[in-house]
Amino acid sequence: MKKALWFLIPVLLIVGILIAVFGGWEKTIVITQTDIEQTLNQHFPMKNTGRFTRVNVKEPLVQLQNGSERINFGLTIDIEVVKPKQAHYSGNILMSANLAYDSDKGSFYLVDAEIEQFDIDGVSAAKAALITKATTKLLYFSLDRWPVYTLKQSDVKQNLAKILLKSVEVKEGNIEVKLGL
């Protein structure tokens, strides 16, 4: 019993010191639209070549809306249909994705991407469905692999707090992330 007490006292002392030093500590990190765009631009343009089409997606433009839980971003898309007859289409798509946090890596990712709006002139409903499917597949399996923001490993408080995400909120065109102990 005495051995357990001698072990427990230093542990409680260390925990008490950590709570006194870091207890109630909260840090707000602001991730701007520009931060996300710059990160996404490192991975664009993206190209997908299929049997009948070539899709080129480029120029991501992030649009953060207050109160929205999803991150919207526009993309320019070029489609070249090779078979059965050759054609070329260009336009824009508006996508949205959720922001997910990986506490092990201290990184934020765009996940569950969906096409919200498809604006390409001259594309029939049948072709639009095929293009939407190909584009969604291309982006869906890519976006969730690229962190849009990673906590600084050199910041001791961020490093300790990376396991505890308190909230993520879009405010005034920025993403505010609250971390804390």
Side-chain angles (χ1 to χ4, degrees), residues 39-170:
T39 302
L40 288 177
N41 272 318
Q42 295 173 13
H43 304 287
F44 284 88
M46 292 179 64
K47 297 178 182 183
N48 185 18
T49 301
R51 289 188 319 191
F52 304 109
T53 60
R54 291 186 193 115
V55 178
N56 184 16
V57 183
K58 57 188 175 184
E59 301 168 359
L61 180 63
V62 176
Q63 304 162 347
L64 299 176
Q65 296 176 345
N66 291 342
S68 175
E69 294 182 8
R70 294 184 65 81
I71 295 171
N72 297 321
F73 53 100
L75 296 162
T76 301
I77 185 168
D78 292 314
I79 302 129
E80 184 180 345
V81 179
V82 207
K83 293 179 183 176
K85 62 180 185 177
Q86 207 164 6
H88 185 266
Y89 305 99
S90 292
N92 299 297
I93 55 175
L94 178 64
M95 296 192 72
S96 70
N98 287 322
L99 190 66
Y101 178 63
D102 182 339
S103 62
D104 291 337
K105 297 177 182 174
S107 296
F108 294 88
Y109 297 85
L110 296 177
V111 297
D112 302 325
E114 294 177 6
I115 293 181
E116 302 287 340
Q117 186 177 338
F118 187 87
D119 185 23
I120 299 176
D121 293 332
V123 174
S124 68
K127 286 182 185 173
L130 289 171
I131 293 167
T132 299
K133 184 178 177 182
T135 306
T136 301
K137 186 177 176 182
L138 172 68
L139 293 169
Y140 187 87
F141 292 108
S142 300
L143 289 172
D144 65 353
R145 294 185 315 195
W146 309 323
V148 293
Y149 186 86
T150 301
L151 298 175
K152 296 178 180 86
Q153 297 297 320
S154 60
D155 186 326
V156 175
K157 288 185 179 180
Q158 277 190 30
N159 220 359
L160 287 171
K162 76 179 185 180
I163 57 170
L164 296 176
L165 174 68
K166 289 189 171 184
S167 67
V168 177
E169 188 176 3
V170 176

